[in-house]
Amino acid sequence: MQGVSILNLQNLFNNPIRYEIPPLQRRYVWNQEQQWDPLWNDVRNTAEEYMEKGVLVENHFLGAIVIQEQSHAVNVLDTRHVVDGQQRLITSQLLLDATQEVFEKREVGNAAKRLSRLVLNGSEFQDDDDPDSAFKVLPTIDDRQAFRHAMSNEETGDKFEETLIVQAHEFFKLMVRDWLDERPEEREQRVAALEITIRNLLELVVIDLKQDENAHIIFETLNARGTPLLESDKMKNMMLSEAGKVGVTDPDEVWDFGGGWWDEEVFQGRLLRPRVDAFLNFWLTMRRQDEIAPNNVFAEFRRYFDAEGEGNKNAIAVAEDIQRVSKVYAKIEKVEVDDEIEPFLYRRGVMQAGVITPILMWLLSSDVPHEQLLKSLQAIESYLVRRMVCGMTTRGYGRLFIGMLGALEDAGTANSGEAVTEYLKGQESYATQWPDDQQFTDAFLTRPAYRLMTRGRTRIVLEGIESGLRTDKADNHTVPRDLTIEHSMPIGWRSGNWKLPEEVEDEEEAKSNRDRLIHTLGNLTLANGRLNTSLSNKLWEEKREELQDHSTLFLNKVLVMETEWNEERIEARARQLAKVAIEVWPR
């Protein structure tokens, strides 16, 4: 083996090289919800932390790759086959190139040139007979054409818009552009912070094999799973020992976490952990009102236990509290709650807002009056949804909601709703503010939500508006959750004969504006899968007729009143939807 290294993207891609994906490997399969969105959030949060501190911050680990040296003639490009990790390598190239393209169009020349060296080999290393020699990473043959289009600023990706590679590139491009434009006065600092983050602070473990090593045996060995002692195991051993000192010898009285559900692995942030470990992390966060690192739960638990003051005698009280709150946590995770709370937990799951779990555990395990509970949940949901729609950072949510625990403790259960609302309204900095009605409305008008948010997150916004449109006289107040998102003016408007207005002065600018508007909330609606498929790229007259005939949604009852559909109507509808959304998620 040539070596195991920890390399940032600068080190990995700086030299002339080709990382080639062997033909038998699967196609590119990463997607927005599970990989691109979490990765971008990590990149954004790291860049913002760098801006805040002004120094290099903790590096972000992307995972591991296994590569193997290949024979090549003298003066020919150094080549490595990718044994494992092709998804990470391709995604990192798409992120680098998308950022480079935005920098270039924003005329941030030097930063763009530096990133360009990490995605393209120099002309002196390129082969005229092999145009793909320009790329540092070469996907499988099935993905190659889409990759060429995504990685070339001059090429159009229109005919590959359904491929995950082009979608990933477009996603990162939109995210970078949106983040740079979010605070124009910080543009220069944001460019510098983003470049440093992507080049220097994203790291991979790189296992570089020699040509004659058996890659498959090494791959299997690397993926063999050990059974390290978990944080929950350490806590269990300690609690059983402490309970035994006061005469309690029945393990089930102290630690009742046996069974498959508690052992199932779940994501906590980007970490995959047994559910019992995730719960204990949340429980300790709630009790200590402090951020607890996943690998430090046991050490912090010992401090908490010792600080309770009565040592061994208190073991049973702590055990009883853990078991009591664990039942509340199970109800939250299994969504075994009444109908008024269920929509909140559903939307929390779609938004992947696990960070609020300690708050939910506190509210649902304390003697909080029902109306105060609902008021608390409405404020939290409004805060999360408004910030999500406005594209605001999630960095700092951990500290923010820990601060809320303190506010709740100070206010007491009888005033929890007022405490949560006032606490969130008191967040004045841009990093944590609760967006006002104007900011919320502006996001409806200008942000291409369909591109910038996951499908699930876009859908819960439309579902919430649909719910808000339903009156007390409606036959059913429950909005179906198996609906799909439909573009009233289709993504493929060019091929569907959706002509631009004849009076446009700048056709390219008009096309660009339309491409942005079609992904804003004003152009989106909901439809069942069969109806959505039948609508496709049809003209508005045909779509309108089908929606009238087949859709029972209130969103569409209002939509089909429009006799024509164009940019002006999209913006007008965005304002209408924003008014309803403000009532659904009041500040």
mmCIF file of all heavy atoms in Angstrom, residues 302-322:
data_model
loop_
_atom_site.group_PDB
_atom_site.id
_atom_site.type_symbol
_atom_site.label_atom_id
_atom_site.label_comp_id
_atom_site.label_asym_id
_atom_site.label_seq_id
_atom_site.Cartn_x
_atom_site.Cartn_y
_atom_site.Cartn_z
ATOM 1 N N ARG A 302 -21.194 11.665 33.635
ATOM 2 C CA ARG A 302 -20.553 11.502 34.957
ATOM 3 C C ARG A 302 -20.547 12.830 35.708
ATOM 4 O O ARG A 302 -20.818 12.880 36.917
ATOM 5 C CB ARG A 302 -19.118 10.986 34.796
ATOM 6 C CG ARG A 302 -18.998 9.529 34.410
ATOM 7 C CD ARG A 302 -17.571 9.031 34.664
ATOM 8 N NE ARG A 302 -17.300 9.027 36.098
ATOM 9 C CZ ARG A 302 -17.450 7.955 36.886
ATOM 10 N NH1 ARG A 302 -17.875 6.816 36.378
ATOM 11 N NH2 ARG A 302 -17.168 8.022 38.168
ATOM 12 N N ARG A 303 -20.229 13.914 34.987
ATOM 13 C CA ARG A 303 -20.219 15.227 35.640
ATOM 14 C C ARG A 303 -21.622 15.591 36.128
ATOM 15 O O ARG A 303 -21.795 16.121 37.220
ATOM 16 C CB ARG A 303 -19.700 16.287 34.671
ATOM 17 C CG ARG A 303 -18.239 16.106 34.282
ATOM 18 C CD ARG A 303 -17.720 17.332 33.513
ATOM 19 N NE ARG A 303 -16.368 17.116 33.042
ATOM 20 C CZ ARG A 303 -16.045 16.649 31.839
ATOM 21 N NH1 ARG A 303 -17.013 16.357 30.989
ATOM 22 N NH2 ARG A 303 -14.787 16.476 31.487
ATOM 23 N N TYR A 304 -22.623 15.323 35.283
ATOM 24 C CA TYR A 304 -24.012 15.610 35.663
ATOM 25 C C TYR A 304 -24.402 14.798 36.892
ATOM 26 O O TYR A 304 -24.985 15.325 37.847
ATOM 27 C CB TYR A 304 -24.941 15.288 34.499
ATOM 28 C CG TYR A 304 -26.413 15.332 34.856
ATOM 29 C CD1 TYR A 304 -27.089 16.539 34.958
ATOM 30 C CD2 TYR A 304 -27.118 14.141 35.109
ATOM 31 C CE1 TYR A 304 -28.442 16.575 35.293
ATOM 32 C CE2 TYR A 304 -28.467 14.177 35.446
ATOM 33 C CZ TYR A 304 -29.116 15.391 35.542
ATOM 34 O OH TYR A 304 -30.447 15.427 35.889
ATOM 35 N N PHE A 305 -24.070 13.524 36.882
ATOM 36 C CA PHE A 305 -24.434 12.638 37.990
ATOM 37 C C PHE A 305 -23.760 13.095 39.289
ATOM 38 O O PHE A 305 -24.400 13.182 40.343
ATOM 39 C CB PHE A 305 -24.025 11.207 37.643
ATOM 40 C CG PHE A 305 -24.493 10.187 38.647
ATOM 41 C CD1 PHE A 305 -25.774 9.667 38.565
ATOM 42 C CD2 PHE A 305 -23.656 9.748 39.668
ATOM 43 C CE1 PHE A 305 -26.219 8.732 39.480
ATOM 44 C CE2 PHE A 305 -24.100 8.811 40.584
ATOM 45 C CZ PHE A 305 -25.378 8.295 40.496
ATOM 46 N N ASP A 306 -22.481 13.408 39.212
ATOM 47 C CA ASP A 306 -21.756 13.858 40.407
ATOM 48 C C ASP A 306 -22.296 15.175 40.932
ATOM 49 O O ASP A 306 -22.314 15.428 42.138
ATOM 50 C CB ASP A 306 -20.265 13.997 40.102
ATOM 51 C CG ASP A 306 -19.607 12.649 39.827
ATOM 52 O OD1 ASP A 306 -20.196 11.617 40.207
ATOM 53 O OD2 ASP A 306 -18.522 12.638 39.209
ATOM 54 N N ALA A 307 -22.767 16.038 40.037
ATOM 55 C CA ALA A 307 -23.249 17.359 40.445
ATOM 56 C C ALA A 307 -24.613 17.306 41.105
ATOM 57 O O ALA A 307 -25.050 18.286 41.724
ATOM 58 C CB ALA A 307 -23.314 18.291 39.236
ATOM 59 N N GLU A 308 -25.301 16.163 41.012
ATOM 60 C CA GLU A 308 -26.622 16.059 41.627
ATOM 61 C C GLU A 308 -26.559 16.089 43.148
ATOM 62 O O GLU A 308 -27.549 16.357 43.809
ATOM 63 C CB GLU A 308 -27.332 14.782 41.157
ATOM 64 C CG GLU A 308 -27.773 14.840 39.707
ATOM 65 C CD GLU A 308 -28.759 15.969 39.463
ATOM 66 O OE1 GLU A 308 -29.928 15.854 39.831
ATOM 67 O OE2 GLU A 308 -28.325 16.995 38.901
ATOM 68 N N GLY A 309 -25.371 15.805 43.714
ATOM 69 C CA GLY A 309 -25.164 16.096 45.127
ATOM 70 C C GLY A 309 -25.305 14.960 46.104
ATOM 71 O O GLY A 309 -24.740 15.025 47.191
ATOM 72 N N GLU A 310 -26.062 13.895 45.755
ATOM 73 C CA GLU A 310 -26.259 12.858 46.757
ATOM 74 C C GLU A 310 -25.658 11.526 46.334
ATOM 75 O O GLU A 310 -25.983 10.482 46.907
ATOM 76 C CB GLU A 310 -27.756 12.693 47.047
ATOM 77 C CG GLU A 310 -28.374 13.934 47.675
ATOM 78 C CD GLU A 310 -29.809 13.683 48.112
ATOM 79 O OE1 GLU A 310 -30.123 12.559 48.535
ATOM 80 O OE2 GLU A 310 -30.601 14.614 48.027
ATOM 81 N N GLY A 311 -24.832 11.539 45.338
ATOM 82 C CA GLY A 311 -24.085 10.351 44.954
ATOM 83 C C GLY A 311 -24.947 9.134 44.730
ATOM 84 O O GLY A 311 -25.914 9.158 43.981
ATOM 85 N N ASN A 312 -24.631 8.048 45.429
ATOM 86 C CA ASN A 312 -25.285 6.758 45.199
ATOM 87 C C ASN A 312 -26.793 6.821 45.385
ATOM 88 O O ASN A 312 -27.552 6.182 44.672
ATOM 89 C CB ASN A 312 -24.707 5.706 46.146
ATOM 90 C CG ASN A 312 -23.224 5.500 45.918
ATOM 91 O OD1 ASN A 312 -22.723 5.808 44.859
ATOM 92 N ND2 ASN A 312 -22.538 4.995 46.929
ATOM 93 N N LYS A 313 -27.266 7.575 46.385
ATOM 94 C CA LYS A 313 -28.698 7.629 46.680
ATOM 95 C C LYS A 313 -29.495 8.199 45.507
ATOM 96 O O LYS A 313 -30.684 7.944 45.396
ATOM 97 C CB LYS A 313 -28.940 8.478 47.928
ATOM 98 C CG LYS A 313 -28.339 7.887 49.195
ATOM 99 C CD LYS A 313 -28.596 8.809 50.382
ATOM 100 C CE LYS A 313 -27.931 8.257 51.636
ATOM 101 N NZ LYS A 313 -28.132 9.158 52.801
ATOM 102 N N ASN A 314 -28.835 8.978 44.681
ATOM 103 C CA ASN A 314 -29.550 9.649 43.595
ATOM 104 C C ASN A 314 -29.616 8.811 42.325
ATOM 105 O O ASN A 314 -30.237 9.208 41.360
ATOM 106 C CB ASN A 314 -28.880 10.988 43.272
ATOM 107 C CG ASN A 314 -29.880 12.001 42.747
ATOM 108 O OD1 ASN A 314 -30.993 12.101 43.234
ATOM 109 N ND2 ASN A 314 -29.473 12.729 41.726
ATOM 110 N N ALA A 315 -28.967 7.650 42.311
ATOM 111 C CA ALA A 315 -28.926 6.825 41.107
ATOM 112 C C ALA A 315 -30.321 6.444 40.643
ATOM 113 O O ALA A 315 -30.620 6.475 39.448
ATOM 114 C CB ALA A 315 -28.091 5.572 41.360
ATOM 115 N N ILE A 316 -31.199 6.101 41.569
ATOM 116 C CA ILE A 316 -32.542 5.673 41.192
ATOM 117 C C ILE A 316 -33.337 6.835 40.629
ATOM 118 O O ILE A 316 -34.065 6.683 39.633
ATOM 119 C CB ILE A 316 -33.268 5.053 42.405
ATOM 120 C CG1 ILE A 316 -32.462 3.878 42.943
ATOM 121 C CG2 ILE A 316 -34.659 4.592 41.995
ATOM 122 C CD1 ILE A 316 -32.095 2.843 41.894
ATOM 123 N N ALA A 317 -33.189 8.028 41.217
ATOM 124 C CA ALA A 317 -33.912 9.197 40.707
ATOM 125 C C ALA A 317 -33.476 9.527 39.283
ATOM 126 O O ALA A 317 -34.305 9.837 38.423
ATOM 127 C CB ALA A 317 -33.682 10.400 41.624
ATOM 128 N N VAL A 318 -32.173 9.446 39.005
ATOM 129 C CA VAL A 318 -31.670 9.721 37.655
ATOM 130 C C VAL A 318 -32.176 8.660 36.685
ATOM 131 O O VAL A 318 -32.618 8.969 35.577
ATOM 132 C CB VAL A 318 -30.129 9.787 37.643
ATOM 133 C CG1 VAL A 318 -29.599 9.868 36.214
ATOM 134 C CG2 VAL A 318 -29.631 10.972 38.457
ATOM 135 N N ALA A 319 -32.137 7.402 37.117
ATOM 136 C CA ALA A 319 -32.621 6.311 36.259
ATOM 137 C C ALA A 319 -34.098 6.482 35.941
ATOM 138 O O ALA A 319 -34.535 6.284 34.797
ATOM 139 C CB ALA A 319 -32.377 4.965 36.939
ATOM 140 N N GLU A 320 -34.885 6.846 36.947
ATOM 141 C CA GLU A 320 -36.321 7.046 36.738
ATOM 142 C C GLU A 320 -36.582 8.193 35.759
ATOM 143 O O GLU A 320 -37.481 8.122 34.914
ATOM 144 C CB GLU A 320 -37.016 7.317 38.071
ATOM 145 C CG GLU A 320 -37.132 6.075 38.945
ATOM 146 C CD GLU A 320 -37.720 6.396 40.317
ATOM 147 O OE1 GLU A 320 -37.826 7.612 40.644
ATOM 148 O OE2 GLU A 320 -38.050 5.451 41.050
ATOM 149 N N ASP A 321 -35.785 9.250 35.850
ATOM 150 C CA ASP A 321 -35.955 10.386 34.937
ATOM 151 C C ASP A 321 -35.621 9.971 33.512
ATOM 152 O O ASP A 321 -36.354 10.298 32.563
ATOM 153 C CB ASP A 321 -35.057 11.544 35.379
ATOM 154 C CG ASP A 321 -35.256 12.784 34.520
ATOM 155 O OD1 ASP A 321 -36.423 13.188 34.312
ATOM 156 O OD2 ASP A 321 -34.256 13.347 34.026
ATOM 157 N N ILE A 322 -34.528 9.217 33.340
ATOM 158 C CA ILE A 322 -34.143 8.756 32.005
ATOM 159 C C ILE A 322 -35.242 7.888 31.406
ATOM 160 O O ILE A 322 -35.646 8.068 30.249
ATOM 161 C CB ILE A 322 -32.807 7.989 32.056
ATOM 162 C CG1 ILE A 322 -31.649 8.950 32.381
ATOM 163 C CG2 ILE A 322 -32.540 7.273 30.726
ATOM 164 C CD1 ILE A 322 -30.313 8.253 32.591
#
